Amino acid sequence: MFHSNGWSYTWGMAVVGGSSICLRKFDANVVFRAITKYNVTHMCGAPVVLTMLANSPCAKPLKDPVQFRTGGAPPPATVVLRVESLGFVVNHGYGMTEVAGVVVSCIWKPKWNKLPANVKAKLKSRQGIRSLGMTEVDVVDPESGVSVKRNGLTMGEIVLRGGCIMLGYLKNQEATSKCMKNDWLYTGDVAVMHPDGYLEIKDRSKDIIISGGENVSSIEVESVLYSNIFINEAAVVARPDEFWGETPCAFVSLKMELKKKPKEKEIIDFCRERLPHYMIPKTVIFMDELPKTATGKIQKFSLREIANGMGSLPASRM
């Protein structure tokens, strides 16, 4: 029962006469046993939960499909591909506490079923289109408020308008005025809009890394890291850099069963083959486990503190 949609799920199950299987904490092995024992049909969790399921020693193809609603952060396409090969059917939703839950969902188009599995996984990691509770959803230039081009490339800020949006932050007019403009809620999430009207988040505005004047999406770098067969979890934040201002700093945990662990240079070289030069992590930090909130989200603020504490990279490491 995590975050806003976890609460909604329990209500929804009651409405349709379903049963809720509750665990005191998340354990992938326990989840797989519960799915078999109780014939679970639906579940929800943050993308890190998908990662834990995909990498569990108990992971094996399910007898029957399980519908999985994920949210909280864009799930890496490689992780979606892994869990769907086990029998989970992933649906991605987007929302905020300020809008009372999930308000954008990646509604699946039947014609997409004909596409290769890796292409379907990329489509499923999009956030999608508005739900019935929203009047309008758009991606705009945060300065002008003008809609960005629907080309899947031009980045802007997600704005929302509808009946389920908050009136403001209680007794905090300053915070309210920063995000409520012309009847739109400015979410602080950076995204692109595709030609079919489906939006795709690229990052939180506070998580965008500005390296040498180029905007680096931490989510795009993380997606590449998750495609590395050695990596279990990944998160990317900015580290101060004497030459570039700041550069990507990757924090990763490795899969437990590895006999030989990769070095920092191997991870950087892996990214170099798949990313533009300015997006390549200049630093890779290995951890046993990345810090998470109680709802399973990786605590980037903790990682930013570590990256800042390491000081600036010298200009010689260009």
Side-chain angles (χ1 to χ4, degrees), residues 2-276:
F2 83 103
H3 221 328
S4 59
N5 197 57
W7 305 332
S8 302
Y9 237 68
T10 52
W11 300 342
M13 289 297 100
V15 167
V16 298
S19 300
S20 292
I21 312 303
C22 302
L23 307 178
R24 291 190 178 276
K25 65 177 182 178
F26 183 84
D27 183 297
N29 299 340
V30 174
V31 168
F32 276 108
R33 288 197 294 268
I35 288 173
T36 301
K37 182 177 180 180
Y38 299 107
N39 297 315
V40 171
T41 57
H42 294 73
M43 61 182 292
C44 58
V48 69
V49 171
L50 291 172
T51 301
M52 294 167 77
L53 289 170
N55 295 330
S56 167
C58 290
K60 60 181 180 180
L62 303 173
K63 184 177 69 172
D64 298 302
V66 173
Q67 305 293 322
F68 194 109
R69 165 59 69 89
T70 191
T78 50
V79 174
V80 173
L81 188 62
R82 281 184 222 155
V83 294
E84 292 219 323
S85 69
L86 296 173
F88 293 96
V89 181
V90 178
N91 174 262
H92 188 202
Y94 164 76
M96 308 168 66
T97 302
E98 291 86 343
V99 296
V102 176
V103 292
V104 173
S105 184
C106 189
I107 303 301
W108 195 249
K109 298 181 180 181
K111 65 180 182 180
W112 289 346
N113 289 323
K114 300 177 182 178
L115 298 172
N118 62 327
V119 176
K120 288 193 288 186
K122 288 181 180 179
L123 289 170
K124 288 201 171 191
S125 62
R126 292 182 185 177
Q127 285 58 57
I129 56 177
R130 69 179 179 87
S131 65
L132 291 174
M134 297 305 298
T135 303
E136 289 183 87
V137 173
D138 202 0
V139 177
V140 304
D141 180 294
E143 298 298 325
S144 66
V146 176
S147 300
V148 300
K149 293 181 179 179
R150 295 192 171 199
N151 56 11
L153 298 171
T154 308
M155 291 194 288
E157 185 170 351
I158 299 175
V159 293
L160 307 168
R161 185 157 60 186
C164 61
I165 289 176
M166 68 172 186
L167 296 176
Y169 294 107
L170 183 63
K171 299 179 182 179
N172 193 338
Q173 186 55 43
E174 182 181 357
T176 300
S177 62
K178 286 181 179 178
C179 68
M180 305 292 287
K181 305 172 187 176
N182 300 319
D183 297 326
W184 287 96
L185 171 68
Y186 280 67
T187 64
D189 286 312
V190 178
V192 297
M193 187 72 83
H194 288 275
D196 60 1
Y198 279 57
L199 66 86
E200 179 183 0
I201 290 180
K202 291 298 181 181
D203 224 332
R204 287 287 295 170
S205 55
K206 64 182 179 182
D207 292 335
I208 287 285
I209 301 164
I210 303 175
S211 185
E214 297 280 2
N215 288 345
V216 177
S217 163
S218 66
I219 290 172
E220 287 191 41
V221 182
E222 289 162 5
S223 293
V224 168
L225 289 167
Y226 270 109
S227 68
N228 187 297
I229 59 172
F230 300 117
I231 290 176
N232 179 44
E233 298 172 324
V236 174
V237 300
R239 179 183 178 182
D241 187 288
E242 290 180 4
F243 186 84
W244 300 107
E246 56 186 27
T247 50
C249 176
F251 291 83
V252 302
S253 67
L254 301 175
K255 294 178 180 177
M256 297 293 292
E257 66 273 13
L258 294 179
K259 293 181 179 178
K260 182 183 178 183
K261 296 183 178 181
K263 305 292 185 183
E264 179 185 36
K265 184 179 183 301
E266 293 177 70
I267 301 298
I268 293 173
D269 288 344
F270 178 84
C271 292
R272 183 173 285 114
E273 294 173 1
R274 294 161 175 81
L275 288 169

